[in-house]
Amino acid sequence: MKRSYSINGMTCKGCVNSIANALTNVKDVVEVDINLEKETATIFMKKPVSIDALKLSLPKKYRISEGVTVLEESHSKKNDKDIGAPTKLQQLKPLLFILGYLFVAAFLLHYKNWNAEEAMLDFMGLFFIVFSFFKLLDLKGFPESFRMYDPLAKRMPAYAWIYPFIEVALGLMFLMRIQITAALVVSVLILGITTFGVARTLLDKRKIRCACLGTALKLPMTEATLIENSIMLCMAFWMLINLGELF
């Protein structure tokens, strides 16, 4: 079922991310869509969740109340599943499309004179440049979402703020072939930390948003996020191990 609520106290996209992450951790909540301008929250639920449970999940400065729109779940057998709640595949379409474009771009750059190592470097460079772009679209909102699961960002808030710029630097280093060894070492470190955080979040069954594409695209934290990070981590490891032969 889908229910809508009024929320007071929001001032920025950082507030939106904080509220969304808090509400998605409530039992039986499937997804949360926050509208900052209208000050509303649309919540997809497996079954009715009390307003008191929603209130308890939020920081004290935010106030949630009922009374916007309620779309109840149909009782017919045909509609036993949640109404309106998008599937994981639908939610992850933007991520899958972007990764597909990056793979194709890296392939086309080298298909005439194929070189797997060079293609991998270009893929990694394009990956960091494109993903940093989405994070920079909302530099104020990204750090709060990133701190929800990245262990280093939790301990060092400043790291969450500079992370998009680290990705920009790594992307340029890979594409321009500058200090490849250093870029690979840094990639292994930051991807390793983030991958650990993603894996722990999934094991804890916490329902939060993934910040890999910033806050502009509302992506759930799923196994696809873990796979995406793991692929990049493995590529960086492989390139680093074979560095002596490649360069």
Side-chain angles (χ1 to χ4, degrees):
M1 64 176 60
K2 180 172 71 173
R3 292 186 174 181
S4 295
Y5 300 84
S6 295
I7 295 186
N8 296 319
M10 297 186 293
T11 58
C12 63
K13 288 189 177 181
C15 296
V16 171
N17 295 329
S18 178
I19 292 172
N21 287 327
L23 291 175
T24 49
N25 281 315
V26 176
K27 184 179 179 181
D28 294 321
V29 171
V30 178
E31 187 189 357
V32 178
D33 185 18
I34 309 292
N35 189 309
L36 178 60
E37 295 181 356
K38 296 182 179 179
E39 295 188 323
T40 60
T42 302
I43 303 178
F44 296 91
M45 309 171 180
K46 294 180 181 178
K47 58 184 180 180
V49 177
S50 70
I51 187 66
D52 290 333
L54 299 176
K55 288 179 179 178
L56 288 173
S57 71
L58 295 178
K60 292 183 179 179
K61 66 177 182 177
Y62 304 118
R63 297 183 300 279
I64 184 170
S65 58
E66 296 178 303
V68 182
T69 304
V70 179
L71 296 178
E72 294 292 349
E73 184 179 26
S74 170
H75 295 290
S76 65
K77 292 182 179 179
K78 185 177 181 180
N79 295 314
D80 280 342
K81 295 184 179 180
D82 296 333
I83 297 177
T87 64
K88 281 186 179 181
L89 182 60
Q90 290 173 327
Q91 293 173 318
L92 292 171
K93 267 187 179 180
L95 175 62
L96 298 177
F97 270 121
I98 290 172
L99 289 175
Y101 271 103
L102 296 181
F103 273 115
V104 171
F107 171 78
L108 292 177
L109 286 171
H110 300 278
Y111 81 99
K112 287 187 177 180
N113 298 298
W114 179 249
N115 185 305
E117 292 77 20
E118 290 292 317
M120 287 174 67
L121 287 175
D122 282 332
F123 174 80
M124 294 177 71
L126 292 170
F127 176 94
F128 282 121
I129 289 294
V130 171
F131 277 60
S132 65
F133 166 78
F134 284 99
K135 294 178 177 69
L136 290 171
L137 286 177
D138 182 19
L139 191 55
K140 290 184 179 180
F142 166 74
E144 188 164 353
S145 292
F146 192 51
R147 286 196 296 267
M148 293 294 295
Y149 61 89
D150 187 272
L152 184 56
K154 286 182 181 179
R155 292 178 175 270
M156 298 174 57
Y159 173 67
W161 286 93
I162 65 172
Y163 186 85
F165 299 100
I166 294 175
E167 287 194 332
V168 171
L170 289 173
L172 293 175
M173 291 170 75
F174 284 125
L175 293 175
M176 299 175 70
R177 306 298 192 264
I178 300 172
Q179 295 293 324
I180 297 299
T181 303
L184 288 170
V185 170
V186 174
S187 297
V188 168
L189 289 175
I190 65 172
L191 290 170
I193 293 170
T194 302
T195 302
F196 173 77
V198 171
R200 188 169 62 180
T201 298
L202 293 174
L203 288 174
D204 292 341
K205 297 182 179 180
R206 294 171 58 206
K207 298 176 182 177
I208 65 173
R209 289 184 181 178
C210 175
C212 57
L213 287 174
T215 59
L217 299 176
K218 299 171 184 177
L219 299 176
M221 180 69 71
T222 66
E223 294 79 4
T225 311
L226 180 63
I227 294 172
E228 164 221 323
N229 278 275
S230 298
I231 289 174
M232 285 294 295
L233 184 59
C234 290
M235 288 176 66
F237 258 125
W238 188 87
M239 294 291 288
L240 197 56
I241 291 172
N242 291 274
L243 193 65
E245 299 178 11
L246 301 177
F247 299 96

